[in-house]
Amino acid sequence: MGLLTGKTALITGAARGIGKAIALKFAEEGANVAFTDLVIDENGKATEAEIAAKGVKAKGYASNAADFAQTEEVVNQVKADFGSIDILVNNAGITKDGLMMRMSEAQWDAVIAVNLKSAFNFIHACTPIMMRQRNGSIINMASVVGVHGNAGQCNYAASKAGLIALAKSIAQELGSRGIRANAIAPGFIETAMTAALPDDVRKEWVQKIPLRRGGQTEDIANVATFLASDMSSYVSGQVIQVDGGMNM
Ligand code: NAI
């Protein structure tokens, strides 16, 4: 029996990257997995097949997480298709970096909408289901910059700080209904998002990490599995930094 056998997970932005790694790990532990992404193209279909190959039910849904109405619709569809939603991972996220002086209103609005409002949308739609079940684990994908800030990322850092406060507030509001909410704050993880960085910037980052390596998506998936499972049944309202010791 896996750690998540009998549970259904819904993960946003999981066609690739960290979300996909979480989906695969959850499936290995026996969870049925619903995931969303902006489009479900060949890549998304391949992800769906990889998850299903672990012997669980898997389905990808095309949906813009920043859109309130689309989110309500997709959550209702997932509930109809899977029967329950026990685990919600708010993972969809983007960066539109720039120094404050040069940041446009559009850069600010897009990052807040996709990273922060999306989590409100999904929590709003999923918590009535979780409240009826008297059981749920919500995981917000934050970032170490949401705890410590980062020059050139004021929009992204603010959105990630918001995700942390959102998790803590939900933990307080809904703990009595059996719902836990936590945040993961990844450091430097090797994905498409960080592959875009120039080599010298990457080297500089790794020098600041006591474990002297970038994180792998599996490093995040392992912590997400812990937070999703009953192994963490007395853990709520926490932020777990998964960053090789970069920030203490
Ligand atoms: P990624 O760019 O590889 O994957 C993000 C996924 O979200 C993509 O599949 C994308 O299509 C999807 N997405 C984007 N906008 C969406 C929307 N409006 N609706 C639905 N899906 C949408 O990124 P990665 O690296 O896997 O990041 C995943 C999460 O982890 C993000 O929230 C990111 O901010 C966070 N994170 C990543 C770190 C890293 O070093 N890679 C560090 C800290 C946090």
Side-chain angles (χ1 to χ4, degrees):
M1 213 155 91
L3 282 172
L4 304 176
T5 299
K7 294 185 193 281
T8 294
L10 170 57
I11 309 167
T12 67
R16 67 172 198 208
I18 291 173
K20 177 180 176 180
I22 293 172
L24 290 172
K25 183 73 189 169
F26 280 9
E28 256 165 47
E29 292 297 338
N32 294 320
V33 178
F35 69 93
T36 72
D37 213 296
L38 275 175
V39 291
I40 301 295
D41 51 14
E42 311 88 78
N43 179 46
K45 280 281 166 205
T47 298
E48 188 183 277
E50 274 183 69
I51 303 168
K54 308 270 182 196
V56 298
K57 185 174 159 109
K59 192 163 163 53
Y61 299 80
S63 145
N64 177 359
D67 186 305
F68 185 82
Q70 272 187 41
T71 299
E72 272 203 329
E73 215 172 283
V74 82
V75 167
N76 287 336
Q77 195 56 53
V78 171
K79 172 78 168 78
D81 293 346
F82 285 77
S84 70
I85 300 173
D86 308 290
I87 302 155
L88 167 66
V89 184
N90 289 308
N91 169 79
I94 56 169
T95 53
K96 289 198 182 293
D97 298 348
L99 296 169
M100 174 58 93
M101 291 297 289
R102 290 198 215 111
M103 184 165 296
S104 67
E105 184 185 9
Q107 273 173 293
W108 174 269
D109 286 348
V111 168
I112 298 298
V114 174
N115 296 8
L116 182 56
K117 190 187 172 200
S118 61
F120 163 73
N121 292 343
F122 273 88
I123 292 171
H124 191 269
C126 287
T127 45
I129 297 166
M130 291 178 167
M131 281 164 73
R132 279 195 295 277
Q133 295 170 174
R134 297 198 71 80
N135 153 55
S137 175
I138 296 169
I139 301 166
N140 285 351
M141 200 54 64
S143 164
V144 288
V145 310
V147 181
H148 304 279
N150 195 23
Q153 286 197 308
C154 65
N155 51 355
Y156 183 78
S159 74
K160 295 301 188 181
L163 283 167
I164 290 170
L166 178 58
K168 291 183 179 182
S169 303
I170 295 304
Q172 291 180 30
E173 266 187 46
L174 298 176
S176 64
R177 310 298 188 98
I179 297 173
R180 300 183 294 111
N182 293 286
I184 297 177
F188 184 91
I189 309 300
E190 309 273 4
T191 64
M193 193 177 255
T194 46
L197 290 173
D199 260 1
D200 51 328
V201 177
R202 169 185 302 273
K203 281 208 185 96
E204 209 180 295
W205 267 91
V206 171
Q207 273 313 308
K208 291 183 197 153
I209 302 171
L211 290 178
R212 291 290 186 279
R213 66 169 178 91
Q216 300 301 309
T217 54
E218 292 73 21
D219 293 317
I220 305 303
N222 287 335
V223 175
T225 303
F226 167 70
L227 289 175
S229 79
D230 296 339
M231 295 282 284
S232 61
S233 55
Y234 204 50
V235 180
S236 197
Q238 301 305 304
V239 189
I240 303 188
Q241 295 192 170
V242 187
D243 65 357
M246 188 168 59
N247 300 282
M248 298 183 195

Short mmCIF file of all heavy atoms in Angstrom, two decimals, residues 66-120:
data_model
loop_
_atom_site.label_atom_id
_atom_site.label_comp_id
_atom_site.label_asym_id
_atom_site.label_seq_id
_atom_site.Cartn_x
_atom_site.Cartn_y
_atom_site.Cartn_z
N ALA A 66 -5.62 31.19 -13.50
CA ALA A 66 -5.87 32.58 -13.07
C ALA A 66 -7.33 32.98 -13.26
O ALA A 66 -7.76 34.04 -12.80
CB ALA A 66 -4.96 33.53 -13.86
N ASP A 67 -8.10 32.13 -13.94
CA ASP A 67 -9.49 32.46 -14.28
C ASP A 67 -10.46 31.80 -13.29
O ASP A 67 -10.54 30.57 -13.20
CB ASP A 67 -9.74 31.96 -15.71
CG ASP A 67 -11.11 32.37 -16.25
OD1 ASP A 67 -12.14 32.06 -15.60
OD2 ASP A 67 -11.14 32.99 -17.32
N PHE A 68 -11.19 32.61 -12.56
CA PHE A 68 -12.06 32.14 -11.48
C PHE A 68 -13.15 31.18 -12.01
O PHE A 68 -13.35 30.10 -11.47
CB PHE A 68 -12.71 33.35 -10.79
CG PHE A 68 -13.53 32.99 -9.58
CD1 PHE A 68 -12.93 32.77 -8.35
CD2 PHE A 68 -14.91 32.88 -9.66
CE1 PHE A 68 -13.68 32.44 -7.22
CE2 PHE A 68 -15.68 32.55 -8.54
CZ PHE A 68 -15.05 32.34 -7.32
N ALA A 69 -13.82 31.60 -13.09
CA ALA A 69 -14.94 30.79 -13.61
C ALA A 69 -14.43 29.47 -14.17
O ALA A 69 -15.03 28.40 -13.93
CB ALA A 69 -15.70 31.58 -14.68
N GLN A 70 -13.32 29.53 -14.92
CA GLN A 70 -12.75 28.29 -15.48
C GLN A 70 -12.35 27.33 -14.36
O GLN A 70 -12.47 26.11 -14.49
CB GLN A 70 -11.50 28.60 -16.29
CG GLN A 70 -11.77 28.92 -17.75
CD GLN A 70 -10.47 29.07 -18.54
OE1 GLN A 70 -9.52 28.32 -18.36
NE2 GLN A 70 -10.44 30.08 -19.40
N THR A 71 -11.86 27.89 -13.26
CA THR A 71 -11.42 27.04 -12.15
C THR A 71 -12.60 26.33 -11.51
O THR A 71 -12.53 25.12 -11.25
CB THR A 71 -10.67 27.89 -11.10
OG1 THR A 71 -9.53 28.47 -11.72
CG2 THR A 71 -10.22 27.05 -9.91
N GLU A 72 -13.69 27.07 -11.29
CA GLU A 72 -14.89 26.43 -10.73
C GLU A 72 -15.35 25.27 -11.59
O GLU A 72 -15.68 24.19 -11.09
CB GLU A 72 -16.03 27.45 -10.64
CG GLU A 72 -16.02 28.24 -9.36
CD GLU A 72 -17.40 28.81 -9.05
OE1 GLU A 72 -18.16 29.11 -9.98
OE2 GLU A 72 -17.68 28.96 -7.85
N GLU A 73 -15.32 25.52 -12.90
CA GLU A 73 -15.76 24.51 -13.86
C GLU A 73 -14.86 23.27 -13.80
O GLU A 73 -15.35 22.14 -13.75
CB GLU A 73 -15.67 25.13 -15.25
CG GLU A 73 -16.74 24.70 -16.21
CD GLU A 73 -16.63 25.54 -17.48
OE1 GLU A 73 -17.07 26.71 -17.47
OE2 GLU A 73 -16.06 25.03 -18.45
N VAL A 74 -13.55 23.50 -13.78
CA VAL A 74 -12.63 22.36 -13.84
C VAL A 74 -12.68 21.56 -12.53
O VAL A 74 -12.64 20.33 -12.54
CB VAL A 74 -11.19 22.79 -14.23
CG1 VAL A 74 -10.40 23.32 -13.06
CG2 VAL A 74 -10.43 21.62 -14.84
N VAL A 75 -12.85 22.25 -11.41
CA VAL A 75 -12.92 21.54 -10.13
C VAL A 75 -14.19 20.69 -10.08
O VAL A 75 -14.16 19.53 -9.64
CB VAL A 75 -12.84 22.53 -8.94
CG1 VAL A 75 -13.24 21.85 -7.63
CG2 VAL A 75 -11.43 23.11 -8.83
N ASN A 76 -15.30 21.23 -10.58
CA ASN A 76 -16.55 20.44 -10.63
C ASN A 76 -16.38 19.21 -11.52
O ASN A 76 -16.87 18.12 -11.19
CB ASN A 76 -17.71 21.28 -11.15
CG ASN A 76 -18.17 22.28 -10.10
OD1 ASN A 76 -17.96 22.07 -8.91
ND2 ASN A 76 -18.77 23.38 -10.53
N GLN A 77 -15.66 19.40 -12.63
CA GLN A 77 -15.42 18.29 -13.55
C GLN A 77 -14.56 17.20 -12.89
O GLN A 77 -14.84 16.01 -13.01
CB GLN A 77 -14.74 18.82 -14.82
CG GLN A 77 -14.76 17.86 -15.98
CD GLN A 77 -16.17 17.40 -16.36
OE1 GLN A 77 -17.06 18.22 -16.58
NE2 GLN A 77 -16.39 16.08 -16.38
N VAL A 78 -13.52 17.64 -12.18
CA VAL A 78 -12.63 16.69 -11.50
C VAL A 78 -13.42 15.91 -10.45
O VAL A 78 -13.30 14.69 -10.32
CB VAL A 78 -11.42 17.40 -10.85
CG1 VAL A 78 -10.62 16.45 -9.96
CG2 VAL A 78 -10.51 17.99 -11.93
N LYS A 79 -14.25 16.62 -9.70
CA LYS A 79 -15.07 15.97 -8.66
C LYS A 79 -15.98 14.91 -9.31
O LYS A 79 -16.12 13.80 -8.81
CB LYS A 79 -15.89 17.03 -7.93
CG LYS A 79 -16.92 16.48 -6.95
CD LYS A 79 -16.29 16.03 -5.63
CE LYS A 79 -17.31 15.75 -4.55
NZ LYS A 79 -18.01 14.47 -4.67
N ALA A 80 -16.57 15.29 -10.46
CA ALA A 80 -17.46 14.35 -11.15
C ALA A 80 -16.68 13.14 -11.67
O ALA A 80 -17.14 12.00 -11.58
CB ALA A 80 -18.17 15.06 -12.31
N ASP A 81 -15.49 13.39 -12.20
CA ASP A 81 -14.70 12.30 -12.80
C ASP A 81 -14.04 11.40 -11.76
O ASP A 81 -13.88 10.20 -11.98
CB ASP A 81 -13.59 12.87 -13.71
CG ASP A 81 -14.15 13.57 -14.94
OD1 ASP A 81 -15.34 13.38 -15.24
OD2 ASP A 81 -13.39 14.31 -15.61
N PHE A 82 -13.60 11.99 -10.64
CA PHE A 82 -12.79 11.23 -9.67
C PHE A 82 -13.54 10.90 -8.37
O PHE A 82 -13.10 10.06 -7.60
CB PHE A 82 -11.52 12.00 -9.32
CG PHE A 82 -10.46 11.98 -10.40
CD1 PHE A 82 -10.56 12.77 -11.52
CD2 PHE A 82 -9.35 11.15 -10.29
CE1 PHE A 82 -9.59 12.76 -12.53
CE2 PHE A 82 -8.37 11.11 -11.28
CZ PHE A 82 -8.49 11.92 -12.41
N GLY A 83 -14.62 11.63 -8.10
CA GLY A 83 -15.42 11.32 -6.90
C GLY A 83 -15.04 12.10 -5.66
O GLY A 83 -15.87 12.38 -4.81
N SER A 84 -13.74 12.45 -5.52
CA SER A 84 -13.32 13.24 -4.35
C SER A 84 -12.09 14.06 -4.73
O SER A 84 -11.46 13.82 -5.76
CB SER A 84 -12.98 12.32 -3.17
OG SER A 84 -11.79 11.59 -3.46
N ILE A 85 -11.77 15.04 -3.91
CA ILE A 85 -10.49 15.77 -4.04
C ILE A 85 -9.93 15.86 -2.62
O ILE A 85 -10.47 16.57 -1.76
CB ILE A 85 -10.68 17.17 -4.66
CG1 ILE A 85 -11.28 17.06 -6.07
CG2 ILE A 85 -9.32 17.92 -4.71
CD1 ILE A 85 -11.64 18.39 -6.71
N ASP A 86 -8.88 15.10 -2.37
CA ASP A 86 -8.30 15.03 -1.02
C ASP A 86 -7.06 15.90 -0.88
O ASP A 86 -6.70 16.31 0.22
CB ASP A 86 -7.91 13.58 -0.70
CG ASP A 86 -9.08 12.63 -0.95
OD1 ASP A 86 -10.05 12.70 -0.18
OD2 ASP A 86 -9.05 11.86 -1.93
N ILE A 87 -6.37 16.11 -2.01
CA ILE A 87 -5.10 16.84 -2.00
C ILE A 87 -5.15 17.88 -3.11
O ILE A 87 -5.49 17.56 -4.25
CB ILE A 87 -3.92 15.88 -2.28
CG1 ILE A 87 -3.88 14.74 -1.27
CG2 ILE A 87 -2.60 16.64 -2.33
CD1 ILE A 87 -3.18 13.48 -1.80
N LEU A 88 -4.84 19.13 -2.76
CA LEU A 88 -4.77 20.19 -3.78
C LEU A 88 -3.37 20.78 -3.74
O LEU A 88 -2.90 21.22 -2.69
CB LEU A 88 -5.79 21.29 -3.47
CG LEU A 88 -5.62 22.60 -4.26
CD1 LEU A 88 -5.89 22.39 -5.76
CD2 LEU A 88 -6.54 23.69 -3.70
N VAL A 89 -2.68 20.77 -4.88
CA VAL A 89 -1.36 21.41 -4.96
C VAL A 89 -1.45 22.60 -5.90
O VAL A 89 -1.67 22.44 -7.11
CB VAL A 89 -0.27 20.43 -5.45
CG1 VAL A 89 1.10 21.12 -5.41
CG2 VAL A 89 -0.25 19.16 -4.61
N ASN A 90 -1.32 23.80 -5.35
CA ASN A 90 -1.32 25.02 -6.15
C ASN A 90 0.10 25.27 -6.63
O ASN A 90 0.90 25.89 -5.94
CB ASN A 90 -1.84 26.19 -5.30
CG ASN A 90 -3.32 26.08 -5.04
OD1 ASN A 90 -4.10 25.92 -5.98
ND2 ASN A 90 -3.71 26.14 -3.78
N ASN A 91 0.38 24.76 -7.83
CA ASN A 91 1.75 24.75 -8.34
C ASN A 91 1.97 25.69 -9.53
O ASN A 91 3.10 26.14 -9.74
CB ASN A 91 2.12 23.31 -8.72
CG ASN A 91 3.40 23.24 -9.49
OD1 ASN A 91 4.48 23.31 -8.91
ND2 ASN A 91 3.33 23.11 -10.82
N ALA A 92 0.91 25.99 -10.28
CA ALA A 92 1.08 26.81 -11.50
C ALA A 92 1.77 28.12 -11.14
O ALA A 92 1.42 28.77 -10.15
CB ALA A 92 -0.27 27.09 -12.14
N GLY A 93 2.76 28.49 -11.93
CA GLY A 93 3.45 29.75 -11.62
C GLY A 93 4.27 30.23 -12.80
O GLY A 93 4.66 29.44 -13.66
N ILE A 94 4.47 31.55 -12.85
CA ILE A 94 5.29 32.15 -13.91
C ILE A 94 6.19 33.21 -13.29
O ILE A 94 5.96 33.64 -12.16
CB ILE A 94 4.42 32.84 -15.00
CG1 ILE A 94 3.48 33.89 -14.37
CG2 ILE A 94 3.60 31.81 -15.78
CD1 ILE A 94 2.79 34.79 -15.40
N THR A 95 7.22 33.59 -14.05
CA THR A 95 8.03 34.75 -13.65
C THR A 95 7.95 35.79 -14.76
O THR A 95 7.85 35.44 -15.95
CB THR A 95 9.52 34.39 -13.47
OG1 THR A 95 9.99 33.73 -14.64
CG2 THR A 95 9.75 33.49 -12.27
N LYS A 96 7.97 37.05 -14.39
CA LYS A 96 8.14 38.16 -15.34
C LYS A 96 9.01 39.18 -14.61
O LYS A 96 8.53 40.17 -14.07
CB LYS A 96 6.78 38.76 -15.74
CG LYS A 96 5.97 37.82 -16.64
CD LYS A 96 4.86 38.53 -17.39
CE LYS A 96 4.04 37.57 -18.23
NZ LYS A 96 4.77 36.99 -19.37
N ASP A 97 10.32 38.85 -14.57
CA ASP A 97 11.24 39.59 -13.72
C ASP A 97 11.58 40.97 -14.26
O ASP A 97 11.55 41.21 -15.46
CB ASP A 97 12.56 38.80 -13.56
CG ASP A 97 12.35 37.44 -12.90
OD1 ASP A 97 11.26 37.21 -12.36
OD2 ASP A 97 13.30 36.63 -12.91
N GLY A 98 11.97 41.85 -13.37
CA GLY A 98 12.44 43.19 -13.73
C GLY A 98 12.60 44.02 -12.48
O GLY A 98 11.96 43.75 -11.46
N LEU A 99 13.48 45.00 -12.56
CA LEU A 99 13.63 45.91 -11.42
C LEU A 99 12.37 46.76 -11.30
O LEU A 99 11.71 47.05 -12.30
CB LEU A 99 14.86 46.79 -11.61
CG LEU A 99 16.18 46.01 -11.64
CD1 LEU A 99 17.34 46.90 -12.10
CD2 LEU A 99 16.48 45.42 -10.25
N MET A 100 12.05 47.15 -10.09
CA MET A 100 10.82 47.93 -9.83
C MET A 100 10.68 49.11 -10.79
O MET A 100 9.62 49.34 -11.37
CB MET A 100 10.86 48.43 -8.37
CG MET A 100 9.73 49.36 -8.00
SD MET A 100 8.11 48.62 -8.25
CE MET A 100 7.79 47.94 -6.64
N MET A 101 11.80 49.84 -10.99
CA MET A 101 11.74 51.04 -11.83
C MET A 101 11.30 50.74 -13.26
O MET A 101 10.74 51.60 -13.94
CB MET A 101 13.12 51.72 -11.88
CG MET A 101 13.54 52.33 -10.57
SD MET A 101 12.44 53.64 -10.07
CE MET A 101 12.86 54.90 -11.28
N ARG A 102 11.61 49.51 -13.69
CA ARG A 102 11.29 49.18 -15.09
C ARG A 102 10.11 48.23 -15.20
O ARG A 102 9.76 47.80 -16.30
CB ARG A 102 12.51 48.53 -15.75
CG ARG A 102 13.62 49.52 -15.98
CD ARG A 102 14.62 49.00 -17.02
NE ARG A 102 15.94 49.45 -16.63
CZ ARG A 102 16.90 48.66 -16.18
NH1 ARG A 102 16.71 47.37 -16.11
NH2 ARG A 102 18.05 49.17 -15.82
N MET A 103 9.51 47.88 -14.07
CA MET A 103 8.43 46.89 -14.14
C MET A 103 7.12 47.53 -14.61
O MET A 103 6.69 48.55 -14.08
CB MET A 103 8.22 46.22 -12.78
CG MET A 103 7.17 45.12 -12.88
SD MET A 103 7.16 44.01 -11.48
CE MET A 103 8.75 43.26 -11.62
N SER A 104 6.48 46.89 -15.60
CA SER A 104 5.21 47.43 -16.10
C SER A 104 4.06 46.92 -15.23
O SER A 104 4.20 45.93 -14.51
CB SER A 104 4.99 46.98 -17.54
OG SER A 104 4.80 45.57 -17.57
N GLU A 105 2.94 47.60 -15.35
CA GLU A 105 1.74 47.17 -14.63
C GLU A 105 1.34 45.76 -15.11
O GLU A 105 0.92 44.91 -14.31
CB GLU A 105 0.60 48.15 -14.89
CG GLU A 105 -0.66 47.82 -14.12
CD GLU A 105 -1.83 48.73 -14.47
OE1 GLU A 105 -1.72 49.52 -15.44
OE2 GLU A 105 -2.87 48.63 -13.79
N ALA A 106 1.52 45.51 -16.41
CA ALA A 106 1.15 44.20 -16.97
C ALA A 106 2.00 43.08 -16.36
O ALA A 106 1.49 41.99 -16.08
CB ALA A 106 1.29 44.22 -18.49
N GLN A 107 3.30 43.36 -16.16
CA GLN A 107 4.18 42.34 -15.54
C GLN A 107 3.72 42.02 -14.12
O GLN A 107 3.70 40.87 -13.69
CB GLN A 107 5.62 42.87 -15.46
CG GLN A 107 6.47 42.64 -16.69
CD GLN A 107 7.81 43.36 -16.55
OE1 GLN A 107 7.86 44.60 -16.53
NE2 GLN A 107 8.88 42.60 -16.46
N TRP A 108 3.39 43.07 -13.39
CA TRP A 108 2.91 42.89 -12.01
C TRP A 108 1.61 42.08 -11.99
O TRP A 108 1.49 41.07 -11.30
CB TRP A 108 2.72 44.26 -11.34
CG TRP A 108 2.09 44.14 -9.98
CD1 TRP A 108 0.75 44.17 -9.68
CD2 TRP A 108 2.78 43.92 -8.73
NE1 TRP A 108 0.56 43.98 -8.32
CE2 TRP A 108 1.79 43.83 -7.72
CE3 TRP A 108 4.11 43.78 -8.37
CZ2 TRP A 108 2.09 43.62 -6.38
CZ3 TRP A 108 4.43 43.58 -7.02
CH2 TRP A 108 3.42 43.50 -6.05
N ASP A 109 0.63 42.54 -12.79
CA ASP A 109 -0.70 41.93 -12.77
C ASP A 109 -0.66 40.45 -13.19
O ASP A 109 -1.34 39.62 -12.58
CB ASP A 109 -1.66 42.69 -13.69
CG ASP A 109 -2.09 44.03 -13.10
OD1 ASP A 109 -1.83 44.26 -11.90
OD2 ASP A 109 -2.69 44.84 -13.83
N ALA A 110 0.13 40.15 -14.22
CA ALA A 110 0.16 38.77 -14.72
C ALA A 110 0.70 37.82 -13.66
O ALA A 110 0.14 36.74 -13.43
CB ALA A 110 1.02 38.69 -15.98
N VAL A 111 1.77 38.22 -12.99
CA VAL A 111 2.39 37.33 -12.00
C VAL A 111 1.49 37.15 -10.78
O VAL A 111 1.34 36.04 -10.26
CB VAL A 111 3.81 37.84 -11.63
CG1 VAL A 111 4.34 37.13 -10.40
CG2 VAL A 111 4.75 37.64 -12.81
N ILE A 112 0.85 38.23 -10.34
CA ILE A 112 -0.05 38.10 -9.19
C ILE A 112 -1.26 37.23 -9.56
O ILE A 112 -1.71 36.39 -8.77
CB ILE A 112 -0.52 39.50 -8.70
CG1 ILE A 112 0.65 40.35 -8.22
CG2 ILE A 112 -1.59 39.37 -7.61
CD1 ILE A 112 1.42 39.81 -7.03
N ALA A 113 -1.75 37.38 -10.79
CA ALA A 113 -2.93 36.61 -11.20
C ALA A 113 -2.61 35.12 -11.32
O ALA A 113 -3.34 34.27 -10.81
CB ALA A 113 -3.47 37.14 -12.53
N VAL A 114 -1.51 34.79 -11.99
CA VAL A 114 -1.20 33.37 -12.23
C VAL A 114 -0.68 32.69 -10.96
O VAL A 114 -1.01 31.54 -10.68
CB VAL A 114 -0.18 33.20 -13.38
CG1 VAL A 114 0.23 31.73 -13.53
CG2 VAL A 114 -0.75 33.74 -14.69
N ASN A 115 0.12 33.38 -10.18
CA ASN A 115 0.73 32.73 -9.02
C ASN A 115 -0.16 32.77 -7.78
O ASN A 115 -0.21 31.79 -7.04
CB ASN A 115 2.07 33.40 -8.67
CG ASN A 115 3.10 33.25 -9.78
OD1 ASN A 115 2.79 32.78 -10.86
ND2 ASN A 115 4.33 33.65 -9.51
N LEU A 116 -0.82 33.89 -7.53
CA LEU A 116 -1.53 34.07 -6.26
C LEU A 116 -3.05 33.92 -6.40
O LEU A 116 -3.68 33.16 -5.66
CB LEU A 116 -1.17 35.43 -5.65
CG LEU A 116 -1.80 35.76 -4.29
CD1 LEU A 116 -1.49 34.69 -3.25
CD2 LEU A 116 -1.31 37.13 -3.80
N LYS A 117 -3.64 34.63 -7.36
CA LYS A 117 -5.09 34.55 -7.48
C LYS A 117 -5.52 33.12 -7.83
O LYS A 117 -6.56 32.64 -7.38
CB LYS A 117 -5.60 35.53 -8.55
CG LYS A 117 -7.12 35.62 -8.50
CD LYS A 117 -7.75 36.41 -9.59
CE LYS A 117 -9.26 36.24 -9.51
NZ LYS A 117 -9.91 36.57 -10.77
N SER A 118 -4.67 32.44 -8.61
CA SER A 118 -4.96 31.05 -8.98
C SER A 118 -5.19 30.19 -7.74
O SER A 118 -6.09 29.35 -7.71
CB SER A 118 -3.81 30.48 -9.80
OG SER A 118 -2.63 30.49 -9.02
N ALA A 119 -4.38 30.41 -6.73
CA ALA A 119 -4.49 29.59 -5.51
C ALA A 119 -5.80 29.92 -4.79
O ALA A 119 -6.48 29.03 -4.27
CB ALA A 119 -3.29 29.84 -4.60
N PHE A 120 -6.16 31.19 -4.75
CA PHE A 120 -7.47 31.58 -4.20
C PHE A 120 -8.57 30.85 -4.97
O PHE A 120 -9.48 30.26 -4.37
CB PHE A 120 -7.67 33.10 -4.27
CG PHE A 120 -9.11 33.50 -4.10
CD1 PHE A 120 -9.72 33.43 -2.85
CD2 PHE A 120 -9.88 33.90 -5.19
CE1 PHE A 120 -11.07 33.77 -2.69
CE2 PHE A 120 -11.22 34.23 -5.04
CZ PHE A 120 -11.82 34.17 -3.78
#
